[in-house]
Amino acid sequence: MCDILPAWAAITDWLAAHARASHANLRPGVSVNEVRSTESELGVPLPADLLTLLTTCEGTVDASALDRDPDEYDAGLFLAQHHLLPLTGMVTVRGSEGNAEEFWGSWVPIAVADYSLAPWDGLAIDPAGRLATFHQASGEPPWRPLTAPGYGSLGEFLETLAEALTQGIGQMMAEATPGFHRGALVWGPLPGDGAPWTPAHP
């Protein structure tokens, strides 16, 4: 297990310096007791790396509930086109369709591509700290709903994200390019020649 805090600090420091609109979407951390209470509600233990992250930052603000320009890209999607879920979001997504234990097993969703759209797709983690993707096809997640995204753990994922943001290199750059749109980090390139988007690393 790696220490996720250096990678997380690199990500948030970069957001504060270059994409303040995205940085403003980060929620403050919660107490260990609040995480433990959510574990009891989920019936699944959360790995140490996720507990560390949640006590540092409990997800992002749900921008779908805000009155904002419809042409403005969601500033909260800084996590490689995903929102980091708060504790209540993890409970909501995991229990949204069907029998949670039957469909999810020991996996817990930690990030979604869109707060406002269900069924969701995103990233999930298990008690051993393994990270994988999920998609709730036809309103329900498939059996043990996960395929490996190429990042063995949350720590490895955050290190790869930090590398893409701060240096413009690494595995994540093969999937999308970090850039700026109205002060927010938006992964692109965006469609259309006139899209007001600038790559972070030209």
Side-chain angles (χ1 to χ4, degrees):
M1 182 184 300
C2 66
D3 181 3
I4 68 165
L5 292 180
W8 183 251
I11 293 166
T12 55
D13 288 350
W14 188 91
L15 292 175
H18 302 286
R20 293 182 181 178
S22 292
H23 189 269
N25 276 257
L26 302 178
R27 295 161 56 103
V30 294
S31 69
V32 172
N33 286 341
E34 289 175 281
V35 177
R36 296 304 186 203
S37 176
T38 299
E39 283 182 323
S40 297
E41 188 172 357
L42 292 168
V44 178
L46 300 178
D49 280 353
L50 181 57
L51 187 149
T52 297
L53 180 58
L54 290 168
T55 56
T56 305
C57 171
E58 194 220 0
T60 57
V61 174
D62 180 2
S64 66
L66 303 178
D67 182 17
R68 62 187 179 93
D69 186 338
D71 293 328
E72 183 178 346
Y73 285 81
D74 192 340
L77 292 169
F78 74 93
L79 199 69
Q81 301 179 6
H82 292 90
H83 288 279
L84 183 63
L85 286 169
L87 291 170
T88 55
M90 294 176 189
V91 173
T92 297
V93 175
R94 192 173 190 272
S96 60
E97 296 289 346
N99 181 287
E101 183 177 354
E102 176 185 355
F103 286 108
W104 287 97
S106 62
W107 294 85
V108 174
I110 63 167
V112 291
D114 194 324
Y115 266 124
S116 61
L117 297 178
W120 289 276
D121 62 85
L123 302 173
I125 201 167
D126 74 352
R130 295 178 299 169
L131 192 69
T133 59
F134 72 88
H135 177 67
Q136 293 176 303
S138 302
E140 293 181 344
W143 179 258
R144 298 299 186 262
L146 304 146
T147 56
Y151 312 103
S153 68
L154 177 60
E156 291 170 356
F157 176 80
L158 294 178
E159 287 176 351
T160 304
L161 177 60
E163 190 177 49
L165 295 181
T166 61
Q167 302 175 57
I169 61 173
Q171 175 182 346
M172 201 167 286
M173 295 293 293
E175 303 169 13
T177 302
F180 306 111
H181 174 83
R182 299 187 182 181
L185 167 62
V186 175
W187 294 81
L190 301 185
D193 295 335
W197 178 86
T198 305
H201 303 281

